[in-house]
């Protein structure tokens, strides 16, 4: 029973991690929390629904289009909204306010277009289980876990082993110095939004496979934000660790106590951590950040 809950928790935490890493990447560059980030996952999930259900193309190409949809909507928000606010010299708080407005706009648009209905992907989901010892592990959880692991490995490689990652790390340390040294700051920020949106698209599709696709599913982004705070805002490894911890905690609470208390424990953990170690487990300095 415990092994089953543990694997499920890691699977859920993996979905949180895909979103949390996007939060952390954007925060590390712009020092603001992108509250619209969860909606990029919702957009990606709906794009996959539209192409697989209404256009009747196979699910895998539809999923890839969904990931592209999440990436492009994230890129568009940076290009059209966030970049203009930054160039106007506005405080970072204005970026957060704009993100809240975008979040509400995307949710209302999804409600209007899809009538607020819960939708599922038009193929038979692998709901069977695999017996490991005395535990029965869901095939869907294993698939989700494998996909998440592969994506995170690719992300870690991009951040640590490529010129793109070097540029991102330079900007996160000192954007002005990076610009002086020849780094194209705006281009790198746009690339980060594109990457973060793609990660959100993957998370949205996996979340839609595990549960359903609905207009307010982007609210899962709040859990990803909690995970990034637990790990340390601005830290990609911290976001991954925080997400796994949160996913396991929620699953164990749901399995052994009550699913209705899951959010209570999540927010309690957040509050306790902010009181004890406000910089998060990985010690990223969050002073003076919005």
């Amino acid at each position: 029973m415990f092994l089953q809950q543990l694997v499920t928790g890691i699977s859920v935490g993996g979905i949180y991690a895909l979103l949390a890493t996007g939060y952390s990447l954007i925060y590390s560059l712009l020092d603001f929390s992108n509250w619209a980030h969860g909606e990029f996952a919702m957009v990606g999930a709906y794009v996959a629904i539209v192409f697989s259900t209404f256009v009747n193309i196979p699910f895998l190409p539809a999923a890839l289009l969904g990931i592209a949809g999440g990436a492009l909507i994230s890129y568009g928000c940076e290009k059209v909204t966030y970049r203009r606010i930054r160039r106007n010299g506005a405080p970072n708080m204005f970026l957060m306010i704009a993100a809240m407005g975008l979040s509400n706009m995307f949710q209302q648009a999804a409600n209007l277009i899809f009538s607020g209905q819960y939708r599922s992907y038009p193929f038979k989901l692998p709901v069977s289980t695999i017996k490991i010892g005395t535990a029965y592990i869901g095939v869907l959880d294993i698939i989700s876990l494998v996909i998440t692991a592969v994506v995170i490995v690719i992300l870690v490689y991009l951040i640590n082993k490529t010129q793109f990652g070097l540029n991102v790390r330079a900007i996160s340390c000192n954007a002005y110095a990076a610009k002086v040294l020849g780094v194209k700051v705006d281009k790198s920020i746009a690339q980060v939004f594109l990457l973060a949106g793609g990660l959100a698209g993957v998370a949205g599709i996996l979340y839609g496979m595990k549960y359903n696709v609905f207009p307010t599913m982007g609210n899962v982004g709040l859990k990803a934000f909690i995970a990034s705070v637990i790990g340390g805002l601005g830290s990609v490894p911290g976001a991954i660790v925080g997400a796994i911890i949160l996913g396991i905690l929620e699953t164990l609470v749901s399995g052994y106590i009550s699913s209705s208390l899951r959010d209570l424990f999540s927010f309690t953990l957040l509050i306790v951590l902010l009181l004890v170690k406000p910089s998060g487990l990985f010690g990223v300095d969050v002073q003076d950040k919005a």
Side-chain angles (χ1 to χ4, degrees), residues 39-52 59 62-63 65-67 69-70 114 121 200-209 212-214 217:
E39 270 55 58
F40 303 155
M42 179 267 290
V43 169
Y46 268 117
V47 170
I49 282 284
V50 167
F51 279 99
S52 60
F59 178 70
L65 289 169
I67 296 169
F114 297 100
Y121 293 111
V202 176
I205 292 168
L206 292 177
Y207 191 85
M209 290 172 59
N212 280 296
V213 178
F214 49 97
M217 66 180 291

Side-chain angles (χ1 to χ4, degrees), residues 14-24 37-38 40-41 196 199-201 203-204 218 220-221 224:
I15 295 175
Y16 292 165
L18 292 173
L19 285 165
T21 50
Y23 267 117
S24 291
H37 192 64
F40 303 155
L199 294 172
V220 71

Side-chain angles (χ1 to χ4, degrees), residues 84-250:
R84 293 190 178 186
I85 293 173
R86 288 189 288 110
R87 286 182 174 175
N88 288 336
N92 286 349
M93 182 62 69
F94 284 30
L95 293 171
M96 287 184 63
I97 294 170
M100 292 176 186
L102 288 169
S103 174
N104 187 265
M105 181 187 75
F106 287 131
Q107 282 194 15
Q108 295 304 319
N111 260 315
L112 180 65
I113 296 171
F114 297 100
S115 305
Q117 296 179 5
Y118 283 69
R119 298 177 182 270
S120 57
Y121 293 111
F123 66 97
K124 188 175 181 180
L125 294 172
V127 294
S128 58
T129 59
I130 297 175
K131 186 176 181 181
I132 302 177
T134 58
Y136 290 87
I137 311 300
V139 173
L140 186 57
D141 286 330
I142 296 174
I143 292 173
S144 177
L145 186 57
V146 170
I147 293 173
T148 301
V150 170
V151 172
I152 288 177
V153 167
I154 294 172
L155 172 64
V156 172
Y157 175 82
L158 288 174
I159 296 298
N160 293 301
K161 300 295 184 181
T162 66
Q163 184 64 45
F164 161 75
L166 181 61
N167 292 344
V168 170
R169 285 182 280 128
I171 296 169
S172 66
C173 290
N174 190 313
Y176 178 77
K179 188 173 183 178
V180 170
L181 292 172
V183 176
K184 296 180 179 179
V185 174
D186 283 342
K187 180 180 178 181
S188 295
I189 291 173
Q191 290 173 340
V192 165
F193 270 85
L194 196 68
L195 174 61
L199 294 172
V202 176
I205 292 168
L206 292 177
Y207 191 85
M209 290 172 59
K210 190 173 181 64
Y211 303 105
N212 280 296
V213 178
F214 49 97
T216 57
M217 66 180 291
N219 291 340
V220 71
L222 179 59
K223 297 295 182 66
F225 177 73
I226 293 174
S228 64
V229 173
I230 291 172
L233 276 170
S235 169
V236 171
I240 296 170
V241 172
I244 299 301
I245 291 173
L246 185 63
I248 292 174
L249 173 67
E250 289 190 345

